[in-house]
Amino acid sequence: MTELAYLGQAVQAIGDSPSPQEAARLLCEVAVPRLADAAAVYVEGEARHRVDPARRLPHRWSGELLRGPELLDEHLIAVPLRAYSKPVGCALFARDRARRPFGEGDVLVAGQLGVPAALTIFHERLHRQQLETVEILQRGIRPESPPDLPGVDISFRYRPAAERVGGDWFDVIPLPGSRVALVVGDVMGHGPAAAAVMGRLRTAVQTLAALDLPAEQVLHSLDEIAQRLADQTLTTCVYCVYDPVLRRCTIASAGHLPPVLIGSDGETEVLFPPRCPPIGLGRTPYETMEIAADDGSMLVLYTDGLVEERGRDIGQSVDELRGKLSRPGPIEEMCDRVLPAVHADDVTLLAIRFRGIPSEYVAQWLMEPQPMTPARVRGLVSRTLTSWGLEQMIPVAQLLASELVTNAVRRTSRPITIRLLRTDVLLCEVSDDDHRMPALHEPGLLDEYGRGLYLVSQLAERWGSTRVAGGKTVWFSMQLPAETASRGP
């Protein structure tokens, strides 16, 4: 074989290598014995691969000072491995003293052999950096631990596919009235592009949920957003809203796998919300189903990585999952039990056990917007908190509740709804049919209005306002006294 043919075949073989390790191995093997008697490839100073029977070459070599292939002495060539002007390693080639010394032609051949190896190492490093960046972003947008919310126990699992990043996501979003939104989604495809779309859609869902839109409207709005974010990208998603007071759960699905409901008696049921296509197709109406969420029952949401298996019917896999879920046990143990030992795709699992809020710790009134209504509310708050053993909270709670009711009385002519809930906090909600949201500002000395909301912002632990169907809800929460909070409702 001529020198040119040898060099062409060697460069092509190294360039076709599937990994840096394989490229380093081929570089050494094509160089020995034709070009040299020993060869080694170093990455980050360590030998990635060596063919060196007589142990001529060192275990470590950086080659950082080299600008190009260089004859260090007549029997040793050093080749810096560079790709796009960036150093990624270096290679050494050595000859026995008994052989003729290296010449300029040998230096050129050694340099050419290093080019495809450098490119392979560079692209592998770049790919890993991209994966690490995306994985960091994914970890940053996923909850680290289940949120502690009243009326529910929550457990989740996420297992990424090996060597790939994907578009799975999940979320648990608190809503007004101690309700909670549960979301699981899956952007089709893998890699940084799918992960980027996933991050945008997750943020969009959080924003839509904060508006307290109906579940079907959340998916419809998400579909419109997805069309603007990414062409030709489809996403499946299931969005549920659980009300621990009414003990009802609303479910909307966009082409997602069916949730599994586990009754308090251990009986399992695969739920089939109205069939709606995935997010991203456009002009698609979405519908919901509503189920009873009895105390002690559990809802399980998941992505296809949990049940999908090549060559197997997905319905059969879902039935098998249902069987695994029928075995009673703690929620954490159940999640560990159903996770597959081996999975080719991302696996996301979100399990929610419904506990509800005891009815004796919920008080609700519907009142006409009259001048005496705030005073009546103060009396109702006093009697309710006394029955709950929260007497020391009465003065501030009375004041803040009456301020919200006073604002509602000024703005509406239809009945106002006032609700008190005792969970891990005391929550007060005032709802009316006026769509104008309250604006907080610090009142001046001569201002006639605006002091009520300012008082609420200063004395409540948290407060907020939310648009709801037919109007708005303004709320505040107060921390329970330590001696009563420890006892719980």
Side-chain angles (χ1 to χ4, degrees), residues 304-314 317 320:
D304 55 7
L306 184 68
V307 294
E308 195 171 53
E309 188 175 335
R310 186 180 296 275
R312 190 178 189 189
D313 180 68
I314 192 70
S317 298
E320 184 177 310

Side-chain angles (χ1 to χ4, degrees), residues 252-267:
S253 177
H256 204 79
L257 289 167
V260 178
L261 179 67
I262 308 168
S264 55
D265 57 359
E267 289 293 321

